[in-house]
Structures are given as structure tokens and as C-alpha cells.
Amino acid sequence: MSHTVADVNTVVERLWPLAGAEPWDAPGFLSGDPAATVDSVHLAVDAVVEVADEAVAAGADLLVVHHPLLLRGVTSVAEDRYKGAVLARLIRGGCALIAAHTNADVVETGTSAALAERLGLVDPRPIVPSDVPGRGIGRQGRLMEPTTLGRLARLLGEILPATASGIRVSGDYDSPVATIALCGGAGDSLLREPAVLAADVYITSDLRHHPASEFRENARLVGGPALIDVSHWASEWLWLETAAEQLAAALPGLAVTVSDVRTDPWDFTIVQ
């Protein structure tokens, strides 16, 4: 069965409605011919040059990414600039570009939900619910069997693809963990949410020094969760498999592949 870019975009917007995106976000159909035929779709977290080259080399007609390439305004798409180079390579290669970002975070099978599922959380619920039941930002839940902070961190190391930054933990290795709050991608905006404060540990990415330090100092004084900081790219990469299965199910005959390119920006770490 033949599909067009417009057909796929319709499914993307049904699976991950644009109405669920944050006001500052810029997901959606970013480049390409809506009428072009699509036989193959490639999925990735980031539209970087290596991913664009990979998609074109694989013969993909459409690249679906999590992070919008044009999230912030640009005044040039010249090819000596990263965003211009990506767009030029995709356009020359006949590969359209669509992004599903915060609109894919909040759905029942979104980025945080994918991580919660891999951890085996029981009764996962959004940290911040939306107006649509079951949808919202982040996830909270309990483990089927309690563990320790150290064992949980090691489990994350097995679940998530390897990155130079690894798994960073603030808390005692042997402290018990039964309840978890998590947010795929950058989640320090949720540090004060009641569901986060009530958990034994909060897992997210891109935790900055001052918010993390203040959070843990308060926890030492009055009680509160440990922190686990993981790679932003790795925490969201897990969702691509779910997204690929959903697209393939909705569009019979469409070939859907997932990129293994590590678009985490860090290459190595010196452990002191």
C-alpha cells in the first residue's frame, strides 16, 4: 500500500497530537513535499548531520525525530551551519522531516512512559496530569519488588544505551527504593512537584548544580528522594522503539527503522 508524507503526518498528529505540545515547542511537519511517496521511515532522537546522512543512505523517504530541528529561530540555513546542512542533505536526498517532541512526551505511551515500562513500574501515572485522562508530564509509580538505589542505578545502566556520562547518583548506595518518579529528558522543572517529593528517587536528565544541590540539601534536612541523572538522549531513545511499532501498525506496508546513532553530545569521561 502506498503512503504519502501527508498520510504519515496525519498519523503522527493522531498518535502525538500537536495540542499536547508545550507553548514554547515547535514540533510538526518541518520540511519536504506533502505529496511525496513514503515507503520507508527512519526514527531518531536528534536531526544531526550523521543521522541525516544515515537516513538518506538507508533510502528513507521520511525522518521522524523527537527534538525539533527548528525549535529556536534561525536567520540562515546556509550549509556551513549545522541546521542548514541537515536540511540541505535531507532535501537533496528526498527525505522529509517531522518532529514529535513534547506532544510525544505527554501521551500514554510517550517518552517517560517508555522508561517507566522498562523499569516495570506498577500503576504508572503522570507527575503533572493533563486535561486528558492518563496523559501528562513525567511518570510516577512503584516497583513490583523494592530494591536499593545502587541496584536501581545499575539496572538503568543495563536498560539505557551506553553514554560517556553514564548514570550519576545523589544518595546512599544501599538506601531502599520502592517508589519512583521519573521524567525522560530535562526534568529539573519538576523538582518541586508533590509526586517527586513523595518518591524514594527521582530519575531525569540535565540536572544542573544549583537546583540539584538545593534539592538534596533540603532532602537531608526534612527527607526527600535521591536523584539519578541520566543522559538526555538515552532516556528518550527508548521511546523510538514504541513509536516505530505504532507507526508500522497504523501504516501497513511501511518500513520503519530506528537509528542507533548516539547523538548524546559527550564522547568520553575522565573519572577522578
Side-chain angles (χ1 to χ4, degrees), residues 35-50:
T37 299
V38 177
D39 295 314
S40 174
V41 174
H42 196 52
L43 274 72
V45 174
D46 299 289
V48 297
V49 170
E50 188 176 359

Side-chain angles (χ1 to χ4, degrees), residues 10-261:
T10 296
V11 171
V12 166
E13 293 187 4
R14 175 170 57 79
L15 292 171
W16 311 298
L18 293 176
E22 293 292 314
W24 50 263
D25 202 6
F29 182 29
L30 302 181
S31 70
D33 179 1
T37 299
V38 177
D39 295 314
S40 174
V41 174
H42 196 52
L43 274 72
V45 174
D46 299 289
V48 297
V49 170
E50 188 176 359
V51 167
D53 287 343
E54 178 187 54
V56 171
D61 306 299
L62 171 63
L63 174 62
V64 175
V65 294
H66 185 50
H67 293 143
L69 180 65
L70 304 176
L71 178 59
R72 292 175 176 81
V74 296
T75 58
S76 171
V77 288
E79 291 184 58
D80 61 349
R81 295 163 175 81
Y82 144 59
K83 294 182 181 183
V86 170
L87 286 173
R89 293 176 191 218
L90 290 175
I91 291 169
R92 287 199 188 96
C95 185
L97 178 63
I98 294 174
H101 192 208
T102 54
N103 51 315
D105 289 332
V106 299
V107 296
E108 296 89 338
T109 54
T111 51
S112 294
L115 179 55
E117 181 181 12
R118 293 296 295 272
L119 287 171
L121 291 195
V122 177
D123 189 26
R125 305 176 309 284
I127 292 173
V128 181
S130 74
D131 295 334
V132 180
R135 296 187 176 184
I137 301 173
R139 288 297 182 271
Q140 57 174 314
R142 60 182 175 83
L143 294 170
M144 183 72 73
E145 295 183 5
T147 186
T148 65
L149 185 61
R151 288 201 296 269
L152 176 63
R154 289 187 176 278
L155 175 61
L156 282 166
E158 296 172 2
I159 290 173
L160 298 174
T163 59
S165 54
I167 313 295
R168 300 192 301 172
V169 184
S170 178
D172 185 76
Y173 188 97
D174 294 316
S175 61
V177 172
T179 57
I180 293 174
L182 61 86
C183 180
D188 60 6
S189 64
L190 304 181
L191 284 172
R192 297 183 182 275
E193 291 294 328
V196 171
L197 295 173
D200 295 322
V201 61
Y202 179 46
I203 304 167
T204 191
S205 306
D206 299 342
L207 287 174
R208 295 169 294 153
H209 172 85
H210 292 293
S213 176
E214 180 178 346
F215 184 84
R216 287 297 294 149
E217 289 304 309
N218 281 329
R220 288 186 176 96
L221 288 173
V222 298
L227 293 175
I228 297 182
D229 185 83
V230 301
S231 157
H232 188 130
W233 165 78
S235 71
E236 296 178 329
W237 183 84
L238 294 178
W239 167 75
L240 298 180
E241 182 178 345
T242 299
E245 291 173 354
Q246 290 176 306
L247 285 173
L251 295 160
L254 188 71
V256 185
T257 55
V258 172
S259 175
D260 287 326
V261 173

Side-chain angles (χ1 to χ4, degrees), residues 258-269:
V258 172
S259 175
D260 287 326
V261 173
R262 187 186 68 183
T263 54
D264 185 271
W266 305 107
D267 293 313
F268 63 90
T269 302

